[in-house]
Amino acid sequence: MKHSPWNWINPELTELQTTTLLKYKAGEEQLSALFGLKKGFTVTKCCNRNWEKEMAPGKKGILERLNAGEVVIGDGGFVFALEKRGYVKAGPWTPESAVTHPEAVRQLHREFLRAGANVMQTFTFYASDDKLENRGQNLKLTGVQINEAACDLAREVANEGDALVAGGVCQTPSYLSCKSETEVKAIFKKQLDVFLKKNVDFLIAEYFEHVEEAEWAVKVLKTSGKPVAACMCIGPDGDMHGISPGECAVRLVKAGAQIVGVNCHFDPMTCVKAVKMMKEGVEKAGLKAHYMVQPLAYHTPDCSCQGFIDLPEFPFALEPRILTRWDMHKYAREAYKSGIRFIGGCCGFEPYHIRAVAEELAPERGIMPPGSEKHGMWGAGLEMHTKPWVRARSRREYWENLSPASGRPKCPSLSTPEGWGVTKGHSDLMQHKEATSSQEMKHLLEMQKKAKSTA
Ligand SMILES: [Zn+2]
């Protein structure tokens, strides 16, 4: 029987670790020498060495880049993109595919890198232990396993280009269920321990609806000494307790975040507006920060303060709202003009959206993304099209001024958001390990009926 090298050396050693060792740490000779060692030999020592650090020589850190006024391009949304590809379950939205389908996660990282992203965010959204066992989920994987695998994948791809690895934490079901500050902080600390072991380049606390929980996350992440970015998933109306974007930002900066902004929940222009309000708040308070924005790739002019979660189309019928690549040019320019230098995306953002951001800001960055090899600026490649009327579209003015049709004769342009007014502390938000019961479902359908009749 031919032994697979990773099982033979160490049953716990994954294919990823082995290929990474092959590529960066050990030459083939060294590895074959390792293969010659007796069964049970552990290469944990090799893996625990900070070879990640050795593997990223000469890269500028996140603050070094932002302090120099450089534009940093973030990646796009993983949960939504991988859900559509069949690797994430809508509902829990947890990132176990970092362990179960590393090839899918690695490929998406690669596509964002090729699109021009400078940051590979670890696919650790909702990878906290309390979320992984929420409402009947039975993964048989620990949070540590998922976080470790996600760090390895992000590092592997970051090393293929000019990208940094950011370890990410986000809001927890424990906070919504009114667990104590100590309990919630312990959840963040567990993820941070993995990020430190894997030596990520910086940290992002993102997707917080309540600034209080975001502050707790920042304080935990700050203990590492690594740069910390903090994003709320809020719009101009502020957090779920009505705290304005300006005040949220001031509190996050005071908690120790060097970069503040918003992600998810709202469309690009709304998010840019919220970050502008943050910037004004921070400046008014006499503080200093860098700013980031990672919005949705969906148009959300009809959303109230909870954002796209309240839209009747969330999450399975949002497609008519997707921004085009040309919308992304406008977004990137607006974000840049507003003084935001860390510009990326969240749910709905596919690699081609990030490529559009990188292309718009190519003059400022002085580089075009590798993915643009197959994409002439402003549709220039259409000059090669067989049909003359399509060749006529190979110019900026055409795409910049187009108002695309939806093709849906009965499709309304706006929806009525649900707005149940349920947030932290409400009994219907309490999380538990058991699956949602039929009694709970019955209650929810009644609530839905009531909400519809009063809308
Ligand atoms: Zn998102």
Coordinates of all heavy atoms in Angstrom, one line a residue, residues 194-234:
V194 N -5.6 31.1 18.6 CA -5.2 30.5 17.3 C -4.6 31.5 16.4 O -3.5 31.2 15.8 CB -6.5 29.9 16.6 CG1 -6.1 29.3 15.3 CG2 -7.2 28.8 17.5
F195 N -5.1 32.7 16.3 CA -4.5 33.7 15.4 C -3.0 34.0 15.8 O -2.2 34.2 14.9 CB -5.3 35.0 15.4 CG -6.7 34.8 14.9 CD1 -7.7 35.6 15.4 CD2 -7.0 33.9 14.0 CE1 -9.0 35.5 15.0 CE2 -8.4 33.7 13.5 CZ -9.4 34.6 14.1
L196 N -2.8 33.9 17.1 CA -1.4 34.2 17.5 C -0.5 33.0 17.2 O 0.6 33.2 16.8 CB -1.4 34.5 19.0 CG -2.0 35.9 19.4 CD1 -2.0 36.1 20.9 CD2 -1.3 37.0 18.6
K197 N -1.0 31.8 17.5 CA -0.2 30.6 17.2 C 0.1 30.6 15.7 O 1.2 30.2 15.3 CB -1.1 29.4 17.5 CG -0.4 28.1 17.3 CD -1.3 26.9 17.7 CE -0.7 25.6 17.1 NZ -1.7 24.5 17.1
K198 N -0.8 31.0 14.9 CA -0.6 31.0 13.4 C 0.0 32.3 12.9 O 0.3 32.5 11.7 CB -1.9 30.8 12.7 CG -2.5 29.4 13.0 CD -1.7 28.3 12.3 CE -2.2 26.9 12.6 NZ -1.3 25.9 12.0
N199 N 0.3 33.2 13.8 CA 1.0 34.4 13.5 C 0.4 35.2 12.4 O 1.0 35.5 11.4 CB 2.5 34.2 13.3 CG 3.3 35.4 13.4 OD1 2.9 36.4 14.1 ND2 4.5 35.4 12.8
V200 N -0.9 35.5 12.5 CA -1.6 36.4 11.4 C -0.9 37.8 11.5 O -0.3 38.1 12.5 CB -3.1 36.5 11.7 CG1 -3.8 35.1 11.6 CG2 -3.4 37.2 13.0
D201 N -1.1 38.6 10.4 CA -0.4 39.9 10.4 C -1.2 40.9 11.1 O -0.6 41.9 11.7 CB -0.3 40.3 8.9 CG 0.6 39.3 8.1 OD1 1.7 39.0 8.6 OD2 0.2 38.8 7.1
F202 N -2.5 40.9 11.1 CA -3.3 41.8 11.9 C -4.7 41.2 12.2 O -4.9 40.1 11.8 CB -3.3 43.2 11.3 CG -4.2 43.4 10.0 CD1 -5.4 43.9 10.1 CD2 -3.7 42.9 8.8 CE1 -6.2 44.1 8.9 CE2 -4.4 43.0 7.7 CZ -5.7 43.6 7.7
L203 N -5.5 42.0 12.9 CA -6.8 41.4 13.4 C -7.9 42.3 13.0 O -7.8 43.6 13.0 CB -6.7 41.3 14.9 CG -5.6 40.3 15.4 CD1 -5.2 40.6 16.8 CD2 -6.0 38.9 15.2
I204 N -9.0 41.7 12.7 CA -10.2 42.5 12.4 C -11.4 42.0 13.2 O -11.7 40.8 13.2 CB -10.7 42.4 10.9 CG1 -9.5 42.8 9.9 CG2 -11.9 43.2 10.6 CD1 -9.9 42.7 8.5
A205 N -12.0 42.9 14.0 CA -13.3 42.6 14.7 C -14.3 43.2 13.8 O -14.3 44.4 13.5 CB -13.3 43.3 16.0
E206 N -15.2 42.4 13.2 CA -16.1 42.9 12.2 C -17.5 42.4 12.5 O -17.7 41.4 13.2 CB -15.7 42.6 10.8 CG -15.7 41.1 10.5 CD -15.6 40.8 9.0 OE1 -15.3 41.6 8.2 OE2 -15.9 39.6 8.7
Y207 N -18.5 43.0 11.8 CA -19.9 42.6 11.9 C -20.4 42.6 13.3 O -20.8 41.6 13.9 CB -20.0 41.2 11.3 CG -21.5 40.9 10.9 CD1 -22.0 41.4 9.7 CD2 -22.3 40.1 11.7 CE1 -23.4 41.1 9.4 CE2 -23.6 39.8 11.4 CZ -24.1 40.3 10.2 OH -25.4 40.1 9.9
F208 N -20.4 43.8 13.9 CA -21.0 44.0 15.2 C -22.2 45.0 15.1 O -22.1 46.1 14.5 CB -20.0 44.6 16.2 CG -19.0 43.6 16.6 CD1 -17.8 43.4 15.9 CD2 -19.2 42.7 17.7 CE1 -16.9 42.4 16.3 CE2 -18.3 41.7 18.0 CZ -17.1 41.6 17.3
E209 N -23.3 44.5 15.6 CA -24.5 45.4 15.6 C -24.6 46.2 16.8 O -25.4 47.2 16.9 CB -25.8 44.4 15.6 CG -26.0 43.6 14.4 CD -27.1 42.6 14.5 OE1 -27.4 42.2 15.6 OE2 -27.6 42.2 13.4
H210 N -23.8 45.9 17.8 CA -23.8 46.6 19.1 C -22.4 47.1 19.4 O -21.5 46.2 19.5 CB -24.4 45.8 20.3 CG -25.8 45.3 20.0 ND1 -26.1 44.2 19.4 CD2 -27.0 45.9 20.4 CE1 -27.4 44.0 19.3 NE2 -27.9 45.1 19.9
V211 N -22.2 48.4 19.6 CA -20.8 48.8 19.8 C -20.2 48.3 21.1 O -19.0 48.1 21.2 CB -20.8 50.4 19.7 CG1 -21.4 51.0 20.9 CG2 -19.3 50.9 19.6
E212 N -21.1 48.0 22.1 CA -20.5 47.5 23.3 C -19.8 46.2 23.1 O -18.7 46.0 23.6 CB -21.7 47.2 24.3 CG -21.3 46.7 25.7 CD -22.5 46.4 26.6 OE1 -23.5 45.8 26.1 OE2 -22.4 46.8 27.8
E213 N -20.4 45.3 22.3 CA -19.7 44.0 22.1 C -18.4 44.2 21.2 O -17.4 43.5 21.4 CB -20.7 43.0 21.3 CG -20.1 41.6 21.3 CD -20.9 40.6 20.4 OE1 -21.8 41.1 19.7 OE2 -20.7 39.4 20.5
A214 N -18.5 45.1 20.3 CA -17.3 45.4 19.4 C -16.2 45.9 20.3 O -15.0 45.6 20.1 CB -17.7 46.4 18.4
E215 N -16.5 46.8 21.3 CA -15.5 47.3 22.2 C -14.8 46.1 23.0 O -13.6 46.1 23.1 CB -16.1 48.2 23.3 CG -16.4 49.6 22.8 CD -17.1 50.4 23.9 OE1 -18.2 50.0 24.3 OE2 -16.5 51.4 24.3
W216 N -15.6 45.2 23.4 CA -15.1 44.0 24.1 C -14.1 43.2 23.2 O -13.1 42.8 23.7 CB -16.2 43.1 24.6 CG -17.2 43.7 25.6 CD1 -17.0 44.9 26.3 CD2 -18.4 43.1 26.1 NE1 -18.1 45.1 27.1 CE2 -18.9 44.0 27.0 CE3 -19.1 42.0 25.8 CZ2 -20.1 43.8 27.7 CZ3 -20.3 41.7 26.5 CH2 -20.8 42.6 27.4
A217 N -14.6 43.1 22.0 CA -13.7 42.3 21.0 C -12.4 43.0 20.8 O -11.3 42.4 20.9 CB -14.4 42.1 19.7
V218 N -12.4 44.4 20.6 CA -11.2 45.1 20.4 C -10.3 45.0 21.6 O -9.1 44.8 21.4 CB -11.6 46.6 20.1 CG1 -10.3 47.5 20.1 CG2 -12.3 46.7 18.7
K219 N -10.9 45.1 22.8 CA -10.0 45.1 24.0 C -9.3 43.7 24.1 O -8.1 43.6 24.5 CB -10.8 45.3 25.2 CG -11.1 46.8 25.4 CD -12.0 47.1 26.6 CE -12.4 48.6 26.6 NZ -13.5 48.9 27.5
V220 N -10.0 42.7 23.7 CA -9.3 41.3 23.8 C -8.2 41.3 22.7 O -7.1 40.9 23.0 CB -10.4 40.2 23.5 CG1 -9.7 38.9 23.4 CG2 -11.4 40.1 24.7
L221 N -8.6 41.7 21.5 CA -7.6 41.6 20.4 C -6.4 42.5 20.6 O -5.3 42.1 20.3 CB -8.3 42.0 19.0 CG -9.4 41.1 18.6 CD1 -10.0 41.6 17.2 CD2 -9.1 39.6 18.5
K222 N -6.6 43.6 21.3 CA -5.5 44.5 21.6 C -4.4 43.9 22.5 O -3.3 44.3 22.4 CB -6.0 45.8 22.3 CG -6.5 46.9 21.4 CD -5.5 47.3 20.4 CE -4.5 48.3 21.0 NZ -3.6 48.8 19.9
T223 N -4.8 42.9 23.3 CA -3.8 42.3 24.2 C -2.7 41.6 23.4 O -1.7 41.3 24.0 CB -4.5 41.3 25.1 OG1 -5.1 40.2 24.3 CG2 -5.6 41.9 26.0
S224 N -2.9 41.4 22.1 CA -1.9 40.7 21.3 C -0.8 41.5 20.9 O 0.3 41.1 20.5 CB -2.6 40.1 20.1 OG -3.0 41.2 19.2
G225 N -1.0 42.9 20.9 CA 0.0 43.8 20.4 C 0.0 43.9 18.8 O 0.7 44.7 18.3
K226 N -0.9 43.2 18.2 CA -1.0 43.3 16.7 C -2.0 44.4 16.4 O -2.8 44.7 17.2 CB -1.5 42.0 16.1 CG -0.5 40.8 16.2 CD -0.9 39.7 15.4 CE 0.1 38.5 15.5 NZ 1.3 38.6 14.7
P227 N -1.8 45.0 15.2 CA -2.8 46.0 14.8 C -4.2 45.5 14.7 O -4.4 44.3 14.4 CB -2.3 46.4 13.3 CG -0.9 45.9 13.2 CD -0.8 44.8 14.1
V228 N -5.2 46.4 15.2 CA -6.6 45.9 15.3 C -7.5 46.9 14.4 O -7.4 48.1 14.6 CB -7.0 45.9 16.7 CG1 -8.5 45.6 16.8 CG2 -6.3 44.9 17.5
A229 N -8.3 46.3 13.6 CA -9.3 47.0 12.8 C -10.6 46.6 13.4 O -10.8 45.5 13.9 CB -9.2 46.7 11.4
A230 N -11.6 47.6 13.4 CA -12.9 47.2 14.0 C -14.0 47.8 13.1 O -14.0 49.0 12.7 CB -13.1 47.8 15.4
C231 N -14.9 46.9 12.7 CA -16.0 47.3 11.8 C -17.4 47.0 12.4 O -17.6 45.9 12.9 CB -16.0 46.6 10.5 SG -14.8 47.3 9.3
M232 N -18.3 48.0 12.4 CA -19.7 47.7 12.8 C -20.5 47.4 11.5 O -20.1 47.9 10.5 CB -20.2 49.0 13.4 CG -19.4 49.6 14.6 SD -19.6 48.7 16.1 CE -21.4 48.8 16.4
C233 N -21.5 46.6 11.7 CA -22.4 46.4 10.5 C -23.6 47.4 10.6 O -24.7 46.9 10.8 CB -22.8 45.0 10.4 SG -23.5 44.2 11.9
I234 N -23.3 48.6 10.6 CA -24.4 49.6 10.8 C -24.4 50.6 9.6 O -23.4 50.7 8.9 CB -24.1 50.4 12.1 CG1 -22.8 51.2 12.1 CG2 -24.2 49.5 13.3 CD1 -22.6 52.2 13.2

